[in-house]
Amino acid sequence: MKPISKEEYDLKCSTRQLFELMSEKWVPGLIYTLSLGPQRPGKLAGRLQGISKKMLTQTLRNLEDWGVVKRTVYDVVPPHVEYSLTSLGEKMVEPIALVHDWAQENREDIAKVFGNRLASKTS
Amino acid sequence: MKPISKEEYDLKCSTRQLFELMSEKWVPGLIYTLSLGPQRPGKLAGRLQGISKKMLTQTLRNLEDWGVVKRTVYDVVPPHVEYSLTSLGEKMVEPIALVHDWAQENREDIAKVFGNRLASKTS
DNA sequence: TCAAGTAGGCACCTTAAGGTAACCATGGAA
DNA sequence: TTCCATGGTTACCTTAAGGTGCCTACTTGA
């Protein structure tokens, strides 16, 4: 077991794990949106442009398993369900917010890179 | 065309685009590693634990297309190739470094979430 | 003459991610 | 009594991501 230098992007590197967690399509959006307060699935769906019912529930289930989201059911009719962040979930808001803030201030550069990528894919 | 509120995670949202860019498995690691200085493919491969030859070249080609990485060939024998960041690439280091720094300070929480996810996948 | 290092291409395969569409249950309103 | 809203589930399908393995070309040193 050779020592791992600081520069190495090794398997147990937290950075790498964090990027892996956040690379599930709807995860950052859901966590960020939930950081605005507990919300019902309908509202969440409305805020996450393009998400399907299936992906919404599926991602929320995953986040529950991860210990990041809590599901609360109010036993009334019609059914009332609310999702909120756990304390672990609240922590995960931080890196997303960092990226979010940076992205807002650097729209131009992101747009360039994103555009180049799009162009190279279709051609 | 209804107006888009600040809370909406819409398709053209830079945050969303940025996450999409960074969710390619080897992209953050490559950009971050290249931020330590221009490097030959052999060295890059050594630093990115677990990357295969194919994925290394493939990801580098993509990053070239995105305008983030530059490939320089020195016409000598044996062949000498060096990869470096463009100025656009340098900019993309910032959000990665932000996440990296946060990840270093919050290893515990990341490990928890990551562990929970692993556990829920195998069971 | 043959292996080794350097850089990379190509064919192929497997899995997982994401999406669509149809369906279920409930009870109150029209 | 039929329909709607709510909050899902399920089956099915398509694509893309990532990986393995083997091949190329070039030259130098053993």
Side-chain angles (χ1 to χ4, degrees):
Chain A
M1 190 101 142
K2 64 169 185 193
I4 292 171
S5 81
K6 278 182 200 160
E7 289 83 16
E8 255 179 294
Y9 192 62
D10 73 293
L11 282 165
K12 279 160 292 175
C13 168
S14 324
T15 310
R16 193 158 156 180
Q17 295 184 332
L18 184 54
F19 272 114
E20 190 174 329
L21 291 171
M22 293 309 161
S23 68
E24 218 159 289
K25 183 166 181 182
W26 299 102
V27 164
L30 263 175
I31 297 183
Y32 186 74
T33 305
L34 280 174
S35 79
L36 305 171
Q39 279 157 86
R40 309 182 56 176
K43 182 118 188 205
L44 286 170
R47 285 177 152 170
L48 294 161
Q49 197 187 68
I51 198 172
S52 70
K53 250 179 177 182
K54 187 196 122 181
M55 287 313 295
L56 180 63
T57 343
Q58 182 174 307
T59 311
L60 285 168
R61 292 288 166 276
N62 287 343
L63 293 176
E64 267 189 275
D65 291 340
W66 303 5
V68 156
V69 156
K70 189 169 153 254
R71 179 170 181 263
T72 314
V73 185
Y74 298 92
D75 198 9
V76 293
V77 144
H80 183 114
V81 177
E82 218 171 51
Y83 292 93
S84 53
L85 293 178
T86 62
S87 60
L88 195 52
E90 298 286 359
K91 301 236 185 80
M92 305 313 280
V93 173
E94 297 180 19
I96 299 175
L98 287 174
V99 171
H100 176 264
D101 294 346
W102 188 89
Q104 294 314 306
E105 287 161 23
N106 295 272
R107 300 171 162 282
E108 314 290 314
D109 290 323
I110 298 173
K112 263 186 225 159
V113 178
F114 201 79
N116 289 342
R117 192 185 69 143
L118 265 190
S120 78
K121 281 208 171 182
T122 48
S123 68
Chain B
M1 188 100 143
K2 63 168 185 196
I4 292 173
S5 80
K6 277 183 203 160
E7 289 83 15
E8 255 179 295
Y9 192 62
D10 73 290
L11 283 165
K12 278 160 291 174
C13 168
S14 323
T15 309
R16 192 157 159 180
Q17 295 184 334
L18 185 53
F19 273 113
E20 190 173 331
L21 291 171
M22 294 308 162
S23 68
E24 220 159 287
K25 183 166 182 182
W26 300 102
V27 163
L30 263 175
I31 297 183
Y32 186 74
T33 305
L34 281 174
S35 79
L36 305 172
Q39 278 156 87
R40 309 180 56 175
K43 181 118 188 203
L44 286 171
R47 284 177 153 170
L48 294 161
Q49 197 188 70
I51 198 171
S52 69
K53 251 176 173 183
K54 188 196 123 184
M55 287 313 294
L56 180 63
T57 341
Q58 181 174 308
T59 310
L60 285 167
R61 293 287 165 277
N62 287 345
L63 292 176
E64 266 189 274
D65 291 341
W66 302 6
V68 155
V69 155
K70 191 171 151 250
R71 179 169 182 266
T72 315
V73 184
Y74 298 93
D75 199 8
V76 291
V77 142
H80 184 114
V81 178
E82 218 172 51
Y83 292 95
S84 53
L85 293 177
T86 62
S87 60
L88 196 51
E90 299 286 359
K91 300 236 185 80
M92 305 314 278
V93 174
E94 296 179 18
I96 298 175
L98 287 175
V99 171
H100 176 264
D101 293 347
W102 188 89
Q104 294 313 307
E105 287 161 23
N106 295 271
R107 300 171 163 280
E108 315 289 315
D109 290 323
I110 297 172
K112 265 185 224 160
V113 178
F114 202 79
N116 290 340
R117 191 184 70 143
L118 266 190
S120 77
K121 280 208 172 182
T122 47
S123 67

